[in-house]
């Protein structure tokens, strides 16, 4: 079953499949959303409010969508590469095009460790 996020502003309503979200990016009082098919939206809502919407509307979304630093919420399912020294996060779109984000080292390190722990948990579950 597909899960959706509904984002309402004064003038519009957006209904997005969670799996299609590539990332949200903060831009002062606005938030930019990029979908995995490269469609882009900008809302007059700050990223903190987006995070609240995700928590309210999508149970378990924090397992897929994760806040990385002050400016981004990313979809972990689209991660291709994390490069700590270069402070780069590479996400892959549906058509296989990479999208590079520059993110400070500490949040990237937290993301990398969270993914490593996830892999370890999956290995343990598979064993038994």
């Amino acid at each position: 079953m597909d899960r959706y996020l509904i984002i309402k502003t004064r003038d519009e309503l957006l209904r997005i499949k969670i799996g299609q979200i590539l990332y949200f990016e903060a831009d002062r009082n606005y938030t930019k959303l990029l979908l995995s098919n490269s469609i882009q939206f900008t809302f007059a809502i700050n990223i903190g409010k987006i995070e609240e919407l995700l928590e309210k509307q999508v149970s378990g979304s924090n397992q897929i969508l994760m806040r990385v630093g002050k400016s981004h919420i990313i979809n972990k399912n689209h991660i291709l590469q994390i490069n700590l020294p270069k402070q780069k996060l590479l996400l892959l779109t549906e058509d296989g095009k990479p999208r590079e984000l520059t993110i400070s080292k500490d949040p990237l390190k937290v993301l990398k460790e969270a993914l490593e722990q996830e892999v370890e948990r999956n290995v343990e579950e598979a064993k038994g």
Side-chain angles (χ1 to χ4, degrees):
M1 187 186 92
D2 290 328
R3 294 186 306 181
Y4 290 87
L5 172 66
I6 308 272
I7 298 175
K8 293 185 286 192
T9 63
R10 191 175 53 121
D11 301 323
E12 62 184 339
L13 181 140
L14 196 59
R15 181 175 171 262
I16 312 149
K17 274 187 189 174
I18 296 298
Q20 287 188 320
I21 295 170
L22 197 61
Y23 65 86
F24 291 95
E25 184 173 24
D27 183 11
R28 294 187 187 85
N29 292 330
Y30 293 88
T31 299
K32 186 169 76 176
L33 163 63
L34 188 73
L35 299 179
S36 59
N37 57 10
S38 298
I39 295 173
Q40 189 172 308
F41 298 95
T42 303
F43 330 99
I45 302 174
N46 70 32
I47 201 160
K49 283 268 190 269
I50 296 287
E51 201 171 21
E52 286 172 25
L53 284 175
L54 286 168
E55 285 169 18
K56 281 182 198 160
Q57 291 184 30
V58 189
S59 59
S61 71
N62 59 344
Q63 295 165 358
I64 299 167
L65 299 169
M66 184 175 174
R67 181 90 182 242
V68 183
K70 291 178 182 163
S71 301
H72 295 89
I73 297 173
I74 57 113
N75 185 330
K76 292 191 299 189
N77 294 341
H78 291 283
I79 294 173
L80 177 65
Q81 180 188 37
I82 297 171
N83 186 322
L84 291 176
K86 291 183 180 172
Q87 297 183 356
K88 299 285 183 205
L89 174 63
L90 214 55
L91 301 171
L92 214 51
T93 62
E94 269 173 26
D95 56 4
K97 290 195 175 101
R99 274 301 179 114
E100 191 175 84
L101 298 176
T102 302
I103 298 175
S104 56
K105 203 175 274 188
D106 288 340
L108 265 187
K109 199 172 183 178
V110 169
L111 175 63
K112 181 177 175 283
E113 288 166 1
L115 290 175
E116 287 168 350
Q117 288 170 356
E118 212 171 272
V119 168
E120 287 170 19
R121 269 196 308 275
N122 292 342
V123 167
E124 290 303 313
E125 286 172 17
K127 283 181 183 173

